[in-house]
Amino acid sequence: MAAATLGIVEALSFLKARSEVLARVRAARVTPHMEFLPLEQATGRVLAEPAFADRDYPPEPRSMRDGFAVRAADLPGTFTIVGEVRAGQSSDCRVEPGEAVEIMTGASVPEGADTVVMVEHTTVAGDRVDVPKALEMGANVNPQGRDAVAGALILRPGIRLGYAEIALLASIGQAEVAVYKRPRVAILATGDELVEVETKPEPHQIRNSNTWSLAAQVIRAGGEAVVLPVAPDELEITKELIANGLECDVLLLSGGVSAGKYDLVETALHSFGAEMYFDRVLIQPGQPCVFGQAQGTFFFGLPGNPASTMVCFEIFARAALELISGVVEPMLAITGAQLKSPFRQKTGLTRFLPARLDEEGLLTPIGWSGSGDIAALTRANAYLVSDPEKGEYAAGDWIGVMAR
């Protein structure tokens, strides 16, 4: 993990580069600040304190089916129906030998009963119910404390709160939740060719889309986007804007990281004593991707082409942002799918190419004109992720896939 001097960092494979990001950010041991939020505002945030069960769950044995609560020792047989209990109703009856209580899903199993017979497996005539088959004790009953016993740890810090976690917190009565504050992520696009979104560009200019795609990705990853003015291809102004960006928790720079005469980002970063952990990764799109640290802030120099910027954020910068957000285990969801059509590539690079995963689970690469083709990305719902050592895939072969 030794840092290298500017310009001589060895190109890394995708997996080695991602491991480098994770290792460096973990080693920095950044401790995010904590805040308390109402439960309804906590979705998407990272839990900062452990959550414990406030009572047994369920607090009483509960029926898992509509049917009749009986004693398993009496089965099979014909029973006298002595009562009914609904979900949300306290049961005040007791089941004796030869008796049954009609019960609904979610209702508390009455005292004396230990089994629930599903209603479709019974025959009812007046106040009598016939059960022709035996059942094991406890059938169709969720026993007290099966989900959690009082005081049990049910959520650990460092997980992002989705709808299931919010439901669990609500069930244990946590109206207020301790979460980590969102990290502030500075976004700095560079290049004389960039103009603002509302500006009509000249033929030699383009609108600044990277800032806004990165802002959207930062927000989706749980950060707060801090948008800086576009840096022209002038070293001193670039240095001034980088200084502002280094005051945030993470700095994302877009463009200016290639080897051209006016690609000034690495030179500007070097003036802040930056350590470069890598500046080239064997991927497409996004080979000239920079990762390092300056004045205690991690930064990523992302290529200027839109697809390169988006891909490099998702596979590298997002992991750093999540760790700084307090997430314990950042996950990159690369799974597999079968190709609907053949795919060929030159070996040597891990490719993240726009593709569409259909309802049958088949993956089709989407034709694109290169990493500047934003329209192709909007037609994709996934990225094809290729093996750098495999040159040809036939239709039906399995290949990596990552959600867009």
Side-chain angles (χ1 to χ4, degrees):
M1 262 184 18
T5 332
L6 185 68
I8 62 168
V9 186
E10 179 185 358
L12 300 182
S13 69
F14 155 62
L15 292 177
K16 286 184 178 179
R18 183 172 168 84
S19 295
E20 182 78 3
V21 171
L22 294 172
R24 291 285 181 180
V25 180
R26 283 194 173 111
R29 300 184 182 277
V30 177
T31 303
H33 296 289
M34 190 173 70
E35 62 183 343
F36 290 87
L37 291 179
L39 185 62
E40 65 269 20
Q41 296 178 19
T43 303
R45 302 297 290 272
V46 178
L47 187 65
E49 290 185 341
F52 300 94
D54 62 324
R55 61 177 182 168
D56 288 349
Y57 286 88
E60 296 180 310
R62 294 265 170 87
S63 176
M64 301 169 65
R65 298 286 189 271
D66 292 339
F68 292 88
V70 297
R71 295 170 9 121
D74 296 341
L75 296 174
T78 301
F79 301 82
T80 302
I81 302 171
V82 296
E84 177 189 274
V85 59
R86 304 186 304 271
Q89 179 186 39
S90 178
S91 173
D92 56 2
C93 58
R94 177 181 177 83
V95 174
E96 301 292 348
E99 294 181 343
V101 168
E102 189 172 7
I103 194 166
M104 311 305 165
T105 301
S108 297
V109 176
E111 211 176 322
D114 55 31
T115 301
V116 172
V117 183
M118 295 169 62
V119 66
E120 52 264 46
H121 297 160
T122 67
T123 302
V124 179
D127 65 349
R128 305 282 285 173
V129 58
D130 182 64
V131 182
K133 293 184 179 179
L135 288 174
E136 290 184 1
M137 181 185 296
N140 300 315
V141 173
N142 193 10
Q144 180 176 339
R146 170 182 277 179
D147 300 338
V149 296
L153 174 66
I154 57 172
L155 285 178
R156 296 181 182 277
I159 63 167
R160 195 172 298 283
L161 299 175
Y163 54 83
E165 291 76 18
I166 293 294
L168 190 54
L169 291 170
S171 73
I172 64 170
Q174 283 204 216
E176 191 175 62
V177 186
V179 297
Y180 291 122
K181 288 189 174 180
R182 291 188 177 101
R184 299 175 71 243
V185 182
I187 299 171
L188 175 58
T190 69
D192 285 340
E193 73 276 16
L194 298 180
V195 298
E196 297 302 329
V197 173
E198 63 273 14
T199 302
K200 183 177 181 180
E202 298 293 333
H204 60 280
Q205 297 175 320
I206 57 173
R207 292 188 176 93
N208 174 22
S209 66
N210 283 351
T211 287
W212 303 109
S213 65
L214 284 172
Q217 288 177 288
V218 165
I219 293 168
R220 189 173 74 164
E224 176 188 341
V226 179
V227 174
L228 300 175
V230 172
D233 292 327
E234 298 178 27
L235 184 59
E236 291 307 314
I237 298 177
T238 301
K239 287 165 61 176
E240 181 181 334
L241 290 168
I242 286 175
N244 293 337
L246 290 175
E247 294 178 2
C248 291
D249 299 299
V250 179
L251 170 60
L252 303 177
L253 303 110
S254 172
V257 296
S258 298
K261 179 179 179 181
Y262 295 101
D263 291 330
L264 305 174
V265 167
E266 287 199 36
T267 301
L269 286 167
H270 194 54
S271 69
F272 293 94
E275 289 183 288
M276 304 289 178
Y277 304 133
F278 60 75
D279 64 2
R280 185 166 171 262
V281 185
L282 299 176
I283 59 175
Q284 184 201 19
Q287 279 197 65
C289 181
V290 175
F291 168 59
Q293 190 174 20
Q295 298 184 353
T297 297
F298 288 103
F299 61 81
F300 291 86
L302 308 175
N305 283 327
S308 300
T309 299
M310 296 177 201
V311 166
C312 287
F313 178 90
E314 286 299 318
I315 62 178
F316 299 130
R318 184 185 180 101
L321 173 56
E322 289 189 336
L323 285 172
I324 292 169
S325 300
V327 173
V328 174
E329 289 293 339
M331 298 296 293
L332 185 61
I334 298 179
T335 56
Q338 287 181 290
L339 282 165
K340 193 170 185 176
S341 56
F343 172 73
R344 294 176 178 82
Q345 66 169 5
K346 289 183 179 179
T347 57
L349 301 177
T350 301
R351 289 179 164 81
F352 296 82
L353 304 180
R356 188 151 195 91
L357 191 64
D358 64 25
E359 293 180 355
E360 297 177 350
L362 297 176
L363 189 69
T364 302
I366 288 179
W368 71 325
S369 59
S371 55
D373 189 353
I374 304 175
L377 289 174
T378 67
R379 296 192 297 272
N381 61 7
Y383 292 102
L384 172 156
V385 184
S386 70
D387 182 337
E389 298 180 1
K390 185 169 182 175
E392 293 193 11
Y393 293 81
D397 283 353
W398 286 85
I399 196 167
V401 60
M402 182 177 80
R404 183 178 73 74

